[in-house]
Amino acid sequence: MTTSYKDIVSQLRTAFPAPVSDRLHDAYFVFSFLRALDQVDALKSAAPMLGTPVTLDYAAARQQRMAEAPSTLEAVTSDLVHYLSGMFIWGHPRAQINVVPSPTIPSIIGGLLPSIYNPNLVSEESSRQVSLAEVEAIAMTAALVGYDPATSDGVFTFGGTGTTLYAAKIGLEKAVRDVRQRGIREPPVIVCSDCAHYACRTVANWLGLGEAQLVTVPTTEDNQIRLDAFAQALDAIVDDGRRIACIVATMGTTDAFGLDDLAGMVRVRDALVTSRGLDYVPHLHADAVIGWAWSVFNDYDFDGNPLGFRLRTVRALAGTARRIRHLGLADSIGVDFHKTGFTPYISSAVLLRDGGDLQRLARQQEDTPYIFQSGERHPGRYTLETSRSGSGPLAALANLRLFGTQGLQSLLGHVVAMAEELREQLEGHPSTTVLNGENFGPVTLFRVYPEGVDTFAVPEQERTDPASRETLLAHNAYNRRIFERIQADALQGHGVVISLTDCYRETTYGEPIVALKSYILSPFSDEHQVKAVLDSIAKARRALATA
């Protein structure tokens, strides 16, 4: 006998939050979360992983289909928890795989609450005070990075690539008259360093400029753009009669935490506008999705060092602050709270020094006749997205309020201190060498060498001497094998979780330099966990030596 639809709806109502106060149903709602958390907790151990390693069977996944009859909340919850088995725990001190932090409890709650009541940031009509939360988070961050909150503005978007996409689109509107109506005729260029995030290439592609319109400028050995080469590149672009859609300054590269000289880039850009009589000012965007958080040190007394950081840590923090304090000079800034702001994915914002720049993207009122009927804030008029979740702004706001500047200073100081501790140990070991010693963030890039290699001389020879090509390639392969050994151990719940980059940077003769990477972002890291990296390296070297 077929069940009546009314009975099925009655059953499914128990799986929805009650729209009015219902103590029994509300208790069931809360209990369902607690039960899920209990099941997740059962997956925890001392290892930096939930549950046990899992072989991913995508062929079987493609065979999955919807069942005919409804399931139960309890059954679905158990199924969902199962998908976390084998997941690395980013907050574990032995998880150092990439720029993925552990989110705080308040930021998790900030992400959860909008999931229950589903505000849509397209307009204040559908988001009410969550719209206010976005404005507050933008204003607090704008003031932190050096913008005037009274004249700046910004929106939360779909990730770090989204922040660069907004910047490039605004820059395109500035550079090419009537591009919205007539389209791109002679595509302008995007200019960035050769260490910039590949998002720049993605944006050139998705905007229809074409990847060939990405102009990359050489960098120095500490991974910052060469100002002389930057000036030459801009001159060459203008000489060719081309226009510049966007200049991207990288303020904390993903691999090495390289920091471009933003103030110098602004000077070069402004001099170009004056000397060449340009009829527009090329838009300069700071890709600070990682580095923005160091703005909390803009006013820190490094001489007095009131928080008591180690001297080596003070030097590292000051080294970053000397570049980050100029963020306010950029026309726009990309910020990822889900990186160095310790929130869940996704919590990204693009900030505009001149909030009026957002109106360059605005739709005509007649294009949206069925929304924006009341209120004063309607981001959906100019955002790429129509629907936008309130989770990103509320998660960001939660941590901005939780940390205060001293809290974020302390967290960043701690992870940098742990990275500096790791560098000390790697520099003191005869088989390892640090590659990004002049960069000052929580990421350490290093290479491991077999027994008998002179690690004082070989790294420089590999980087600059074409005669060392075969040696470089052999050591590249050796580092990949070291990584595979460490990764295999990590997948069994042992050792540490680190990552590898196929090209930290190229040698002077065009070959990629492979590097191992430790990215320490856990507030639970300590000296013992740092030593575990050296232990994992030693174990992998022994295994290769006897293989």
Side-chain angles (χ1 to χ4, degrees), residues 272-529:
L272 177 82
V273 172
T274 301
S275 65
R276 308 301 289 269
L278 300 187
D279 60 358
Y280 71 105
V281 178
H283 188 91
L284 200 155
H285 175 69
D287 181 8
V289 292
I290 297 174
W292 71 272
W294 273 257
S295 296
V296 294
F297 291 102
N298 284 352
D299 298 320
Y300 188 75
D301 179 6
F302 288 107
D303 291 330
N305 190 25
L307 293 177
F309 298 118
R310 290 178 56 202
L311 292 181
R312 181 167 174 142
T313 303
V314 169
R315 178 180 180 275
L317 295 173
T320 300
R322 84 193 195 285
R323 294 283 189 241
I324 293 298
R325 63 167 46 99
H326 297 300
L327 279 182
L329 298 174
D331 297 312
S332 59
I333 302 171
V335 169
D336 275 358
F337 294 95
H338 59 247
K339 287 187 171 74
T340 46
F342 300 90
T343 71
Y345 285 112
I346 293 173
S347 184
S348 295
V350 58
L351 309 179
L352 284 303
R353 184 177 59 185
D354 178 0
D357 276 349
L358 285 171
Q359 297 307 315
R360 297 176 184 273
L361 310 178
R363 300 175 177 86
Q364 299 299 314
Q365 187 167 353
E366 56 267 25
D367 293 337
T368 55
Y370 54 89
I371 50 177
F372 313 134
Q373 301 302 327
S374 65
E376 61 178 277
R377 181 170 169 81
H378 308 297
R381 288 199 188 281
Y382 47 76
T383 55
L384 170 64
E385 311 95 321
T386 299
S387 300
R388 290 187 304 124
S389 169
S391 295
L394 275 186
L397 188 60
N399 278 356
L400 289 170
R401 290 186 170 169
L402 173 69
F403 295 148
T405 55
Q406 284 190 349
L408 194 49
Q409 285 170 347
S410 298
L411 280 172
L412 295 176
H414 173 72
V415 297
V416 168
M418 292 300 98
E420 291 294 329
E421 175 72 20
L422 174 61
R423 292 181 183 206
E424 281 190 47
Q425 296 200 30
L426 290 170
E427 289 164 353
H429 198 282
S431 68
T432 54
T433 186
V434 174
L435 298 178
N436 65 327
E438 294 305 312
N439 301 123
F440 302 113
V443 58
T444 301
L445 290 166
F446 60 97
R447 275 166 76 85
V448 181
Y449 291 93
E451 202 69 37
V453 173
D454 180 358
T455 55
F456 291 94
V458 166
E460 180 66 14
Q461 292 170 2
E462 289 179 334
R463 192 180 66 81
T464 61
D465 185 1
S468 297
R469 177 179 275 106
E470 294 306 316
T471 301
L472 171 85
L473 297 178
H475 289 155
N476 280 352
Y478 181 78
N479 276 269
R480 288 193 179 94
R481 292 196 299 272
I482 289 286
F483 171 72
E484 289 165 2
R485 292 280 182 172
I486 293 175
Q487 181 79 347
D489 242 15
L491 288 172
Q492 296 303 316
H494 310 303
V496 296
V497 187
I498 60 174
S499 55
L500 175 138
T501 177
D502 283 325
C503 184
Y504 152 61
R505 60 183 299 123
E506 288 189 349
T507 65
T508 57
Y509 48 93
E511 292 289 351
I513 301 174
V514 171
L516 299 171
K517 179 164 67 174
S518 162
Y519 218 122
I520 298 178
L521 276 182
S522 172
F524 297 97
S525 295
D526 58 25
E527 287 80 359
H528 173 73
Q529 306 297 344

